[in-house]
Amino acid sequence: MNFQQDELTLQVAQTAKDFADKFIRPHVMEWDESQQFPLAVYKELGKLGMMGVLVPEAYGGAGLSYFEYNVILQEISKVCGSIGLSVAAHNSLCTGHILSFGNEEQKKKYLPKLATCEWLGAWGLTEANTGSDAGNMQLTAIKDGDDWILNGTKNWITHGKSGDVAVVICRTGAPRTKDNSTAFIVERGTPGFTGGKKENKLGMRASETAEMIFDNCRIPDSCRMGEVGEGFKHSMKVLDGGRISIAALSLGIAKGAYEAAVKYSKERYQFDQPIANFQGVSFKLADMATEIAAADLLIHQACDLKIKGLPMTKEAAMAKYYASEIAVKVSTEAVQVFGGNGYSKDFPVEKFYRDSKLCTIGEGTSEVQKLVISREVLRP
């Protein structure tokens, strides 16, 4: 691996940083407090190619690599994890699934609109009673002539209400049987497809999380992606890339909290000197910096393997597991460095603290990541 970022990656990172500072930072707490989903921001990011980072230019995307995708998510998430989360879900889940497993007609129809964020994407796997237990999902797709009829509900879906198009994984076989699910593309406005309850969350409050409800939703077979029964297998491959996204999101949150703590420790005086001079604070910063560097290397490794088309299930899970856990740890320690001020919404670290926890849950909990990693290391 080459650890030196090339000129293109550095330029992309600077563009993302400048955008976040100008268009996101002034509104972070306003959006968080009101739980406002700032759709206009994603439209502007679409103009910069950041909503179609990995989509080839032939389909209207930026045609960049996972290295650029990684730095975009980090720079945005250093300012606001909510915006980073929505950028990640749109790029790696909905758009990524169609890019990886859609046929040519589906790619030509949907990718140009998704890449520019003319259309916002959603991706539905999780249900209320089937988080990691996806083989027992209750949303079914029943074949009826040349159509499929969808019935059921998906929960905890990013852009579940506002998404213009959704990739939805439905059960097409008996519960808990092999190859029992299939992926479909469903457009907003299709009769029987509606958004449901919007979740009132601890953190990531400016990223919309909601139900998707399907009530006798009829779609043609042309909306099916891949063969019948391939939905779960394809979803697991999509999630490998998605875990790199959440790792990058986590690292951005950790870096944002760390940088705020470093700055504050130099400005806050106690006993006639900055608190950074005290080992109780400086050792915390040393641990935070080391953990951030380690997470960065794990993500870089996963990106490198992904770009080369090599197996990276274990490495993506390691990156997601470690980066998400250190995001929680670093943001917790940042609150401690700020002391009483860290508990106040007048200072930035309490939001990093609240946002970080989702990273250990979404797209596979830390426990699921350890299950994936252990299976890979114990494989004969």
Side-chain angles (χ1 to χ4, degrees), residues 49 51-56 61-67 69 91-92 99 306:
M51 298 298 277
V53 183
L54 304 169
V55 176
L64 299 173
S65 79
Y66 261 80
F67 288 139
Y69 184 40
N91 272 284
S92 66
L99 179 62
K306 179 71 173 176

Side-chain angles (χ1 to χ4, degrees), residues 109-322:
K109 181 177 181 179
Y110 294 108
L111 291 180
K113 292 181 178 181
L114 288 166
T116 59
C117 203
E118 178 184 344
W119 280 14
L120 185 69
W123 190 79
L125 177 65
T126 303
E127 298 181 5
N129 295 313
T130 55
S132 302
D133 185 17
N136 194 36
M137 68 178 70
Q138 301 303 300
L139 173 59
T140 59
I142 307 296
K143 191 75 183 295
D144 182 38
D146 292 331
D147 295 338
W148 293 84
I149 300 177
L150 278 56
N151 278 291
T153 302
K154 292 294 183 183
N155 297 73
W156 288 96
I157 307 305
T158 305
H159 313 144
K161 291 173 72 75
S162 296
D164 298 288
V165 61
V167 173
V168 186
I169 318 304
C170 306
R171 182 164 57 78
T172 48
R176 302 195 190 285
T177 57
K178 186 178 181 182
D179 301 331
N180 72 344
S181 63
T182 305
F184 298 89
I185 304 172
V186 189
E187 295 180 21
R188 185 70 61 188
T190 302
F193 173 33
T194 57
K197 174 191 173 186
K198 179 181 176 182
E199 301 294 341
N200 183 14
K201 298 174 296 183
L202 167 71
M204 303 289 197
R205 290 161 64 83
S207 177
E208 179 187 274
T209 306
E211 293 177 321
M212 294 193 300
I213 300 171
F214 300 86
D215 182 10
N216 289 318
C217 177
R218 180 180 290 271
I219 56 174
D221 189 58
S222 60
C223 292
R224 172 175 49 83
M225 269 199 294
E227 299 300 321
V228 173
E230 291 183 332
F232 184 72
K233 291 179 181 177
H234 289 174
S235 295
M236 292 303 99
K237 293 179 180 178
V238 169
L239 284 172
D240 280 346
R243 284 165 181 158
I244 296 177
S245 298
I246 301 302
L249 165 66
S250 302
L251 185 56
I253 291 171
K255 286 184 175 180
Y258 165 73
E259 290 174 7
V262 170
K263 181 175 184 291
Y264 184 81
S265 72
K266 295 176 179 178
E267 296 171 348
R268 171 70 168 172
Y269 271 64
Q270 291 287 276
F271 303 99
D272 302 319
Q273 58 184 309
I275 61 173
N277 288 355
F278 299 105
Q279 286 186 350
V281 173
S282 64
F283 280 15
K284 287 183 186 299
L285 298 175
D287 285 340
M288 293 157 75
T290 302
E291 289 158 348
I292 284 171
D296 219 342
L297 291 173
L298 283 170
I299 296 169
H300 193 94
Q301 174 184 237
C303 288
D304 184 64
L305 292 171
K306 179 71 173 176
I307 291 167
K308 292 175 180 175
L310 297 172
M312 40 70 78
T313 296
K314 178 184 70 176
E315 289 77 10
M318 285 178 167
K320 195 272 186 188
Y321 165 53
Y322 186 76

Side-chain angles (χ1 to χ4, degrees), residues 8 11 21 43 46 74 83 88 107 169 188 271 279 282 291 303 318 329 331 338 353 361 368 371 375:
L8 174 61
Q11 288 176 353
D21 284 337
K43 301 294 185 181
Q74 284 191 46
I83 308 302
K107 290 179 182 179
I169 318 304
R188 185 70 61 188
F271 303 99
Q279 286 186 350
S282 64
E291 289 158 348
C303 288
M318 285 178 167
K329 184 178 178 182
S331 60
F338 273 72
Y353 178 71
I361 299 171
V368 166
L371 181 63
R375 283 177 176 173

